[in-house]
Amino acid sequence: MLIRFQVKNLYSFGAETEFNLLTNHSEQLSHHKKHYKGIDILRLSAIYGANASGKSNFVRAIALLQRTIREGKIMGKVNTYKFRLNKDTLQEPISLAIEFLSDGKIYYYTLTFDHKKILNETLLESFKERDRIIFERSLIGEKQEIPFIEREVKDEKERLFLEILSDKLLGKEELLLTFLSQKYPNEYPDIDRVYNWFSRNLVVLSPTFQVNGMVHSFDANSHMRHFINTFIPNLSAGIERIYIEKEKIENTFPNLSEENKKELIDRIRKEGDGIITLYDDLTNEEVGIVLDENEQLYTKRLFTEHLGKGGYREHFPLRLESDGTKRLLEYAPMISDVINHETVYVVDEIERSIHPMMIKELIKKISWDTTARGQLIFTTHESCLLDQQILRTDEIWFTQKDKAGVSHMYSLSDFNISNTANIEDGYLNGRYGGIPFLSNLKELNWHTDENISNEK
């Protein structure tokens, strides 16, 4: 689970800002809290704010850290990432820090970098009394120093290894975390565990994300299919169930030449998974292509079943469904993961293409599930979710820019909120900030009817 995230001089976060999932003293929705060695961590959080206040930049900052760790080096032109409304910040480095719980241990990882040079990189195991340093690395002048990497064996060979690592093996733009995890996973289990958390347990979704291979995923995973067919009918989307239809490729693509078939067979064999995903040029529908044991090509397509008058059932290809229904199906793996697995999802604009009442029902189901194991953090504009029966006050955060254009984050629990307060009304009335400040539209000369009549 994610515990806290700190960012400085990245995108619109010119000053250091912290977001965290630590609890206040509220006893509402107590099943949202995960207890670990005297610390309570929340499993749900919603982030509100006006357009361009920093919500998406918060998600982008986490995504940048994750991508940097996966790639193992600082990427791109660093100045394009920095806060650009202050000339002084262009001369300062970018700093990121994250604290999270993984496999019963709390880790704190920090990274400070500038112009393809890592100035500082540190990994700690966090304890209430005293932290344990796993490794530290810094750049002093042009000399890279790695004075310490903790492991069970410490001898002269280790000292020589650190010297060679600093001088020869590790580039100044390369992450020590990634390097050691990929090269020496068995020798540094803590480091490998941290890298795997970023690779496998953390999922960041942008508003335009698309699930590739959804047909094969739903077909191969019977538990996922059962979850969807239990979950979707309860959302009043008109769908009774989803199913995968398998047909000979000639029936789906009657104009496919023998040469094209041979190319598909070669590609399936080359990729080695027994299936490839294509998209219909006319409909943009996802089609899975599989090769059976008799060397025959088949297609797999996703269909939905709707219930009509008098019990009549009709099947629709996914391309005929609304964008909102497609988005709900794309969210199905996320919802299943959050309920059944220890996965952390960070989602930007979670309500995209989905009706407010539908997104409220979806978040409510996650909120009220007392067995959910994962964590969901999302940005949104939907004020209907500001309901103390769905979210605790310490799970609601706001982003707001100051007069210098710097984004700041703060929690609703900073305010004195009663358990019966209507926080949706308070938010819309500007009581907590995080909303746009609109000019007087009359001053913008938008009186079209008056202008037309004057012209006449």
Side-chain angles (χ1 to χ4, degrees):
M1 299 182 76
L2 180 64
I3 300 173
R4 76 176 80 233
F5 181 72
Q6 296 161 319
V7 55
K8 181 181 179 182
N9 198 24
L10 179 63
Y11 305 132
S12 59
F13 296 102
E16 183 175 302
T17 301
E18 176 178 304
F19 165 84
N20 67 66
L21 289 123
L22 300 172
T23 66
N24 61 16
H25 300 296
S26 173
E27 293 302 320
Q28 288 187 291
L29 300 168
S30 59
H31 64 278
H32 284 200
K33 297 188 291 186
K34 183 180 180 71
H35 306 278
Y36 177 74
K37 292 186 177 179
I39 300 173
D40 289 333
I41 308 166
L42 297 164
R43 64 175 181 83
L44 198 61
S45 184
I47 302 170
Y48 287 82
N51 290 330
S53 64
K55 298 189 307 300
S56 293
N57 283 340
F58 164 78
V59 177
R60 289 173 64 206
I62 295 178
L64 177 66
L65 179 60
Q66 181 188 47
R67 190 168 73 249
T68 302
I69 290 171
R70 284 177 171 175
E71 294 292 328
K73 61 182 181 180
I74 304 302
M75 301 171 294
K77 297 180 179 179
V78 174
N79 271 4
T80 62
Y81 301 145
K82 293 181 180 181
F83 181 71
R84 303 174 68 178
L85 296 180
N86 185 333
K87 63 181 180 180
D88 294 334
T89 56
L90 292 175
Q91 309 305 316
E92 297 174 1
I94 293 170
S95 293
L96 296 166
I98 190 166
E99 188 174 28
F100 58 93
L101 173 65
S102 177
D103 294 337
K105 292 186 176 183
I106 293 177
Y107 295 102
Y108 185 66
Y109 176 74
T110 66
L111 180 67
T112 300
F113 62 93
D114 197 356
H115 302 296
K116 291 194 175 182
K117 292 180 181 179
I118 296 175
L119 305 179
N120 182 271
E121 183 185 8
T122 304
L123 178 63
L124 310 171
E125 183 182 355
S126 297
F127 292 95
K128 219 170 185 181
E129 300 80 19
R130 183 180 178 185
D131 294 335
R132 175 176 70 93
I133 300 174
I134 298 172
F135 72 70
E136 54 185 343
R137 170 260 194 102
S138 58
L139 189 67
I140 301 175
E142 290 299 315
K143 182 173 174 55
Q144 187 166 242
E145 293 191 3
I146 307 173
F148 182 79
I149 302 175
E150 180 174 275
R151 66 173 182 172
E152 292 182 5
V153 179
K154 298 183 180 72
D155 52 23
E156 183 64 17
K157 289 183 180 179
E158 183 79 0
R159 187 186 65 77
L160 291 173
F161 171 69
L162 292 179
E163 288 183 6
I164 296 171
L165 182 62
S166 302
D167 296 339
K168 305 292 184 183
L169 297 180
L170 189 70
K172 293 175 183 176
E173 79 286 355
E174 293 182 282
L175 271 65
L176 181 58
L177 173 69
T178 310
F179 180 90
L180 292 176
S181 176
Q182 293 179 346
K183 300 290 185 182
Y184 308 98
N186 296 326
E187 296 183 67
Y188 300 103
D190 280 307
I191 294 170
D192 190 50
R193 185 180 295 114
V194 168
Y195 178 82
N196 286 334
W197 185 84
F198 281 100
S199 299
R200 301 172 188 173
N201 294 85
L202 176 63
V203 181
V204 184
L205 300 179
S206 71
T208 56
F209 88 95
Q210 285 185 311
V211 177
N212 295 320
M214 187 162 62
V215 171
H216 177 58
S217 176
F218 288 174
D219 188 41
N221 191 332
S222 59
H223 295 291
M224 175 68 68
R225 206 164 55 250
H226 174 74
F227 174 82
I228 294 170
N229 285 331
T230 303
F231 176 74
I232 288 292
N234 293 325
L235 290 181
S236 303
I239 298 174
E240 290 294 301
R241 70 182 182 103
I242 67 160
Y243 70 98
I244 307 296
E245 184 178 274
K246 184 177 178 181
E247 283 193 304
K248 287 185 176 181
I249 198 167
E250 294 82 5
N251 295 338
T252 307
F253 301 111
N255 298 322
L256 195 68
S257 68
E258 291 300 319
E259 184 179 352
N260 292 145
K261 290 180 187 178
K262 186 178 182 306
E263 289 174 355
L264 290 172
I265 291 172
D266 290 342
R267 183 177 163 189
I268 290 173
R269 286 173 174 162
K270 183 178 179 181
E271 297 188 8
D273 292 330
I275 184 169
I276 57 174
T277 300
L278 301 178
Y279 290 88
D280 191 307
D281 291 337
L282 294 177
T283 65
N284 200 36
E285 181 183 6
E286 182 184 308
V287 181
I289 311 293
V290 296
L291 183 67
D292 71 4
E293 62 275 8
N294 298 317
E295 299 291 295
Q296 294 295 312
L297 288 169
Y298 287 84
T299 60
K300 290 182 179 180
R301 298 163 65 205
L302 185 63
F303 280 77
T304 58
E305 181 179 273
H306 290 255
L307 185 63
K309 185 177 180 180
Y312 177 73
R313 296 178 183 271
E314 182 59 59
H315 299 156
F316 291 83
L318 186 60
R319 69 174 184 272
L320 296 182
E321 296 292 349
S322 68
D323 288 342
T325 298
K326 292 175 185 175
R327 181 58 89 192
L328 287 173
L329 289 176
E330 288 174 329
Y331 276 157
M334 175 192 76
I335 299 163
S336 178
D337 273 355
V338 168
I339 291 173
N340 299 304
H341 302 103
E342 293 180 342
T343 308
V344 178
Y345 277 84
V346 183
V347 185
D348 194 14
E349 294 184 25
I350 198 169
E351 77 278 14
R352 186 180 177 94
S353 300
I354 301 178
H355 189 276
M357 297 309 297
M358 191 78 76
I359 198 66
K360 184 173 184 178
E361 188 65 22
L362 188 153
I363 299 300
K364 185 191 295 182
K365 286 182 180 295
I366 296 173
S367 171
W368 288 3
D369 193 308
T370 59
T371 65
R373 301 174 61 196
Q375 194 177 38
L376 175 62
I377 301 156
F378 60 90
T379 73
T380 183
H381 288 291
E382 286 300 346
S383 62
C384 66
L385 300 177
L386 291 169
D387 182 338
Q388 293 196 65
Q389 299 301 310
I390 299 175
L391 292 167
R392 295 163 51 100
T393 55
D394 48 10
E395 292 176 323
I396 298 168
W397 281 70
F398 303 102
T399 56
Q400 189 158 310
K401 279 185 177 177
D402 61 24
K403 292 181 179 180
V406 177
S407 294
H408 302 273
M409 300 186 74
Y410 57 95
S411 171
L412 182 61
S413 63
D414 292 347
F415 299 82
N416 187 17
I417 308 292
S418 73
N419 293 340
T420 58
N422 186 324
I423 54 178
E424 181 180 11
D425 284 352
Y427 170 68
L428 293 175
N429 288 323
R431 192 173 302 158
Y432 317 122
I435 61 172
F437 295 97
L438 302 177
S439 300
N440 187 334
L441 296 186
K442 202 167 185 178
E443 296 175 0
L444 297 178
N445 199 27
W446 281 10
H447 299 81
T448 308
D449 293 340
E450 292 179 15
N451 292 340
I452 291 174
S453 62
N454 290 336
E455 289 176 4
K456 288 180 179 180

